[in-house]
Amino acid sequence: MCAHSSGAIGFPLRLLAREVYDRVVAIKGEAQVALITGEERIEPPGARYFLCTAEAMPRDGGGHAFVALDEAQLSADRERGHVFTDRLLNARGREETMLLGAATLEPLVRTLVPRAEIVTRPRFSTLTHIGARKLSRLPPRSAIVAFSTEQVYTVAEMLRRFRGGAAVVMGALSPETRNRQVAMFQAGEVDYIVATDAIGMGLNLDVNHVAFASLTKFDGVRQRRLVPAEMAQIAGRAGRHQRDGTFGTLAGGQGPAPEFDEEEIYAIEEHRFAPLTRLFWREAEPRFDTLATLIADLEAPPLAPELAPAPEAIDLAVLKRLADEPVADGVKGPGMVRRFWEACSLPDFRQLGVEVHARFVARLWRDLRGGHLGADYVATRIAELDRVQGDIDTLQGRIAAIRSWAYICQRPDWVLARDEMAARARAVEARLSDALHGRLTERFVNRRTAILMKTMGTDPALLPVTLDSDGAVLVEGEAIGRLEGFRFAVDPAASHGDRKMLLAAGEKALPRILTERAEALVAAGLEGVAIERGALLWQGHELARIEGDDPLRPRLAPARELAALPDAARATLLAALSEWLERALAPLESLAKLEAAAKSPEAGSQARALLLTVIAGHGTIAREKAGIEHLPKEMRPYLRRLGVTFGALDVFAPALLKPAPRALLHALGRDRRPLQENMQSVIGEAQRLPAGYRPAGQQGVRVDVAEKVLRAAHQARAEAKTRRFVLDPALAVSTGLAPESWHRLLGAAGFRRQPARKLAEGAYGPPAPDRWEWHPGRRGAGKPDRGRRGQDQRGGKRPARENKTPPGGGAFAGLADLVR
């Protein structure tokens, strides 16, 4: 065509016309090329090359230099055959006319067009029958052909489950959706395509094998077996150019597998088919005097014996149906009859049958009878269909409806603001087609499984597995699981059948991914690593357990997940963790000193026993349990240099009462008591006191703060030099102790309160303060140790006290247990 000055080609499908239009535009430019179909019209003023559907092409060729009709054998089609027959007989080019079709048409062409020159193009590749195959045994790049929507959906669902999915092609899909599905197959996103016999025409596919799920179909009149020519039209999709193809049937369904007979196999493999004996014909230029005359002309028989009357198509059925109804009462005169016939010729895109389609045409005619359809009315109808919600069937119904309105908007004398309304209809169809493609892909394609099926047998180093920033493990963009710390977890949404395959895919690439993650973690300075429950955790997952007695240099036992790391990467990570842990444990240096002294012979057995008791209490122990009465006086300075304080109620290491060491001891699991993160001086009532606190009434007070309060009380007692004395509560109040809690704390240290008398009634002035006495004989009570050997608080010699501790008690009981 492009070698001529002008030309027109008629195609059986809109999508074919669009495909060739794009190719001719690339050669000739947009200004010279027109696209004319029932639903779309692109016609520049100076267009010289026309790509049309057969119905839209000029029936006489339009005076172009070149005219062609594609798939001319469709002249034998029951529904549209009369259109192709008319173009075959009448469409001619000034210089050249070309009829493209199957060899079965050759005898009739020789008879009807004697001057035609027959040119045969043999198929370069061969087709081979390979019998029935189960779905699981189908080779990649296969097309499975079914003849009902239910069967297409069933096969596609099974392929999704076992092979990752399939593209779906059906006649009910819009051309845009069909092209998107085919493009997905051609791009290799899926290896299978499930289709109706719509695959047999207008689709150039990279298919190696065609499997027939059935060999019978309903042709609009009855259920019948496909003829060999129809089988070959479909099977011929396998193989392209010089690449051979195969065909067969699909086994494993309900009932016996369909089988080709020997004659059918021979006909398909050798391309030998019975020639067509007649073509369907209908008067293309009927008279429009009356509806009765129009119907009579459309039903008139052909004169040539090679032609047969066309079966009643839906346009004629709608015309006859409405001609007897009141809606046609006002159809008089040639102009009105022609307009009424044009309305009845509206294609039934919805495929709902004569009755439903006739009602739609009748409603349309009521608006057309008086003139044009208003732009507002058409815009409203289009807007009603502009909704992308719904399932596959719902979207297919909307696309069919919008195609009807696109056809209506293309008529030159039907709609006001025709170009704008046609553009709106095409835009809505495009949006609905995108949504339908998405629904089909969502339902019938498991892209993750499809990718894995193609890549599982490859070199693990080449497996396209990547790690997303949020921890998702991806194969070509599809998530197969998550990396939780250094443990791979399969996507929980995966089916049971997919889990094994996903796990295998993840494990193949795991060493490389884990190495990259370990290197990134070390390079970031182990950011996010924390000590919890005696282990090093990262992102809430364990990296290693902390073991050993040395608080500053413990051992690390790597978690089981790190075993998947290569040896070098694991060693590097563990070394970095050890260094990080050593720095993190620096606040426990004072505890390390205590533990080192507890193992030193220099300390003596009594001091070592007390140190072990303090260590067991994680830095604090009640004085009454410390066994301090067995400690020689000369050992106290040594223990004070180690950071041990001998308080009135507690023996403790102040350095271990700070927030950092307390948090570390809790995180290491060495101190399982509740943690007070900020180590406040006084806390409220707690069911179980945190580490480093002692009870004081309804409150808890940190032991070093309690010691400060008790030192102040002993200082006041020493300064009073009387048996009874007054204590100032200011210090206790400043720490947050309530009066009742202060009283209880002092009581635990041996102080006894003597409440003052209340003021007499009518008396004025401040009340007398309470007075206090100290009774050191009370259990647990003692004076704070200020480091003055042999001196009491008033400077005198301290009287010797009788040892009241029973044999084997105190620290020596713990030491005896330790020795055992």
Side-chain angles (χ1 to χ4, degrees):
M1 182 182 71
C2 290
H4 290 269
S5 60
S6 64
I9 303 179
F11 296 95
L13 298 173
R14 168 186 164 190
L15 64 87
L16 268 178
R18 181 74 203 206
E19 178 185 343
V20 179
Y21 167 79
D22 293 335
R23 295 171 62 182
V24 177
V25 164
I27 299 171
K28 295 293 185 178
E30 289 186 4
Q32 298 191 59
V33 187
L35 172 68
I36 302 177
T37 69
E39 303 143 72
E40 191 172 8
R41 191 180 191 93
I42 303 173
E43 189 175 2
R48 294 189 295 123
Y49 301 95
F50 290 75
L51 292 312
C52 317
T53 51
E55 288 82 353
M57 73 180 295
R59 66 179 302 264
D60 62 353
H64 297 291
F66 173 88
V67 170
L69 178 66
D70 189 24
E71 302 288 356
Q73 76 277 2
L74 288 180
S75 299
D77 180 71
R78 296 181 58 86
E79 185 68 28
R80 301 171 65 200
H82 62 89
V83 176
F84 282 82
T85 300
D86 179 68
R87 305 304 184 264
L88 183 151
L89 296 174
N90 300 298
R92 296 292 183 263
R94 296 195 317 268
E95 301 170 2
E96 185 178 3
T97 301
M98 187 175 290
L99 305 175
L100 307 173
T104 55
L105 186 63
E106 180 181 344
L108 289 176
V109 170
R110 289 188 182 278
T111 302
L112 296 172
V113 190
R115 295 185 299 118
E117 176 189 356
I118 307 298
V119 179
T120 302
R121 300 292 189 190
R123 180 185 176 104
F124 291 148
S125 59
T126 61
L127 275 175
T128 306
H129 178 250
I130 61 172
R133 295 285 181 91
K134 289 185 177 180
L135 201 64
S136 58
R137 301 266 184 188
L138 285 180
R141 314 307 297 170
S142 289
I144 299 92
V145 180
F147 295 96
S148 69
T149 300
E150 294 75 12
Q151 198 172 28
V152 168
Y153 288 174
T154 299
V155 174
E157 289 278 12
M158 294 173 66
L159 283 171
R160 183 188 189 277
R161 191 178 312 155
F162 299 116
R163 288 292 182 268
V168 174
V169 172
M170 298 183 293
L173 300 182
S174 68
E176 288 79 5
T177 305
R178 198 180 317 176
N179 285 346
R180 293 280 298 277
Q181 289 286 305
V182 169
M184 183 171 64
F185 174 78
Q186 292 293 87
E189 295 180 32
V190 292
D191 271 338
Y192 301 90
I193 185 167
V194 185
T196 60
D197 52 351
I199 195 177
M201 185 178 302
L203 295 176
N204 295 319
L205 299 172
D206 183 18
V207 171
N208 296 332
H209 177 73
V210 172
F212 288 77
S214 172
L215 293 175
T216 61
K217 76 168 188 176
F218 182 73
D219 63 2
V221 178
R222 59 189 175 86
Q223 189 78 16
R224 65 172 177 82
R225 188 177 179 88
L226 300 174
V227 300
E230 292 172 323
M231 296 175 180
Q233 181 82 15
I234 298 170
R237 298 296 96 188
R240 295 291 297 170
H241 196 50
Q242 295 183 355
R243 190 183 68 248
D244 296 337
T246 58
F247 69 97
T249 55
L250 186 66
Q254 296 180 351
E259 287 291 347
F260 293 96
D261 60 36
E262 292 297 328
E263 292 182 359
E264 291 167 340
I265 295 172
Y266 173 79
I268 296 171
E269 291 183 341
E270 299 299 326
H271 313 294
R272 297 181 180 275
F273 309 104
L276 297 175
T277 58
R278 59 181 181 171
L279 305 180
F280 289 120
W281 177 89
R282 189 175 76 180
E283 178 60 59
E285 293 184 338
R287 293 168 296 168
F288 297 101
D289 299 338
T290 64
L291 289 178
T293 302
L294 173 62
I295 294 173
D297 284 356
L298 292 174
E299 292 183 331
L303 300 178
E306 294 82 11
L307 304 178
E312 185 178 85
I314 193 166
D315 54 358
L316 179 56
V318 169
L319 173 64
K320 294 168 67 175
R321 174 78 170 77
L322 296 181
D324 297 330
E325 294 190 1
V327 70
D329 289 346
V331 181
K332 307 293 183 182
M336 189 67 75
V337 171
R338 180 185 294 272
R339 190 173 178 84
F340 187 70
W341 168 238
E342 290 172 350
C344 293
S345 298
L346 175 69
D348 181 18
F349 293 107
R350 296 179 296 174
Q351 301 290 315
L352 297 178
V354 174
E355 291 297 325
V356 176
H357 189 54
R359 288 198 297 270
F360 180 75
V361 171
R363 177 68 182 87
L364 176 65
W365 175 249
R366 292 188 184 96
D367 296 314
L368 284 177
R369 182 168 47 192
H372 293 75
L373 298 177
D376 292 342
Y377 172 78
V378 175
T380 302
R381 302 287 81 77
I382 293 174
E384 289 172 351
L385 298 170
D386 191 8
R387 292 180 291 119
V388 297
Q389 299 80 16
D391 57 15
I392 292 174
D393 293 336
T394 301
L395 289 173
Q396 282 184 260
R398 290 195 193 123
I399 288 175
I402 199 64
R403 290 183 70 187
S404 297
W405 283 104
Y407 182 93
I408 292 169
C409 292
Q410 289 299 331
R411 300 294 302 178
D413 57 346
W414 283 13
V415 178
L416 295 174
R418 185 191 75 173
D419 293 341
E420 180 186 350
M421 294 301 105
R424 288 192 186 187
R426 288 196 301 271
V428 171
E429 182 181 354
R431 283 192 290 274
L432 292 172
S433 296
D434 288 342
L436 179 57
H437 172 72
R439 298 292 191 284
L440 289 170
T441 303
E442 180 182 334
R443 178 171 174 182
F444 299 123
V445 177
N446 184 336
R447 188 168 181 269
R448 177 175 62 193
T449 303
I451 292 170
L452 292 178
M453 290 297 296
K454 290 189 292 186
T455 58
M456 283 296 289
T458 61
D459 183 350
L462 300 178
L463 196 65
V465 179
T466 57
L467 183 64
D468 202 7
S469 57
D470 63 352
V473 179
L474 309 175
V475 178
E476 293 188 5
E478 291 295 320
I480 64 173
R482 297 188 61 80
L483 204 57
E484 299 173 348
F486 282 81
R487 183 177 71 87
F488 174 69
V490 174
D491 184 1
S495 65
H496 178 73
D498 287 346
R499 291 184 64 85
K500 184 177 180 180
M501 180 171 55
L502 296 180
L503 189 61
E507 289 177 346
K508 277 190 174 184
L510 210 54
R512 172 176 58 83
I513 291 178
L514 291 183
T515 298
E516 293 173 357
R517 169 160 279 203
E519 291 173 350
L521 181 59
V522 172
L526 301 181
E527 182 180 357
V529 175
I531 304 172
E532 292 183 32
R533 303 186 298 275
L536 293 181
L537 302 186
W538 182 58
Q539 296 182 348
H541 301 280
E542 184 177 311
L543 295 180
R545 297 294 305 175
I546 301 173
E547 300 177 348
D549 298 329
D550 190 339
L552 294 183
R553 293 175 181 80
R555 298 188 307 273
L556 286 180
R560 183 176 59 184
E561 288 78 6
L562 297 189
L565 272 169
D567 294 341
R570 184 169 62 252
T572 301
L573 178 60
L574 290 177
L577 289 173
S578 297
E579 294 178 6
W580 181 90
L581 182 61
E582 187 174 343
R583 294 191 299 272
L585 295 179
L588 295 182
E589 186 175 356
S590 57
L591 178 62
K593 289 181 179 180
L594 297 181
E595 292 193 350
K599 298 175 183 178
S600 173
E602 179 186 350
S605 60
Q606 296 90 343
R608 283 157 54 196
L610 187 138
L611 286 172
L612 289 172
T613 307
V614 172
I615 292 169
H618 309 296
T620 176
I621 188 71
R623 185 180 180 118
E624 62 186 22
K625 298 179 181 179
I628 196 171
E629 61 275 8
H630 299 291
L631 184 69
K633 302 292 191 295
E634 61 273 14
M635 293 304 299
R636 294 197 179 192
Y638 170 74
L639 294 176
R640 283 197 295 272
R641 287 195 299 273
L642 293 174
V644 178
T645 296
F646 297 91
L649 293 177
D650 302 281
V651 179
F652 56 93
L656 295 177
L657 296 178
K658 297 178 180 179
R662 291 256 55 98
L664 273 174
L665 288 171
H666 184 78
L668 290 169
R670 299 185 66 162
D671 189 351
R672 300 185 181 278
R673 289 173 290 179
L675 174 67
Q676 201 349 280
E677 292 185 1
N678 299 323
M679 292 302 288
Q680 298 175 353
S681 299
V682 176
I683 60 174
E685 181 180 6
Q687 196 170 25
R688 187 181 177 200
L689 279 176
Y693 288 83
R694 70 161 27 257
Q698 298 297 316
Q699 293 178 293
V701 59
R702 204 172 66 215
V703 293
D704 58 334
V705 175
E707 177 59 20
K708 185 177 180 181
V709 172
L710 295 177
R711 281 181 184 273
H714 278 290
Q715 182 67 30
R717 179 181 67 80
E719 293 173 355
K721 299 181 180 179
T722 59
R723 182 167 173 267
R724 294 188 176 184
F725 46 89
V726 176
L727 296 180
D728 185 0
L731 177 61
V733 171
S734 68
T735 63
L737 276 172
E740 176 61 24
S741 301
W742 180 53
H743 296 163
R744 297 289 295 271
L745 178 64
L746 291 173
F751 291 89
R752 180 178 298 174
R753 183 169 72 97
Q754 302 295 332
R757 293 181 180 179
K758 295 183 179 180
L759 289 174
E761 187 175 352
Y764 297 95
D770 294 339
R771 294 192 173 272
W772 294 82
E773 295 180 359
W774 184 53
H775 297 271
R778 297 186 64 186
R779 177 175 175 82
K783 293 186 294 183
D785 182 2
R786 293 173 179 260
R788 300 174 182 172
R789 298 179 61 186
Q791 300 288 324
D792 67 10
Q793 294 296 320
R794 289 169 291 187
K797 290 289 184 180
R798 183 180 301 153
R801 288 193 298 168
E802 182 180 355
N803 182 9
K804 301 292 185 180
T805 304
F812 285 105
L815 181 63
D817 291 340
L818 180 67
V819 171
R820 283 199 298 273

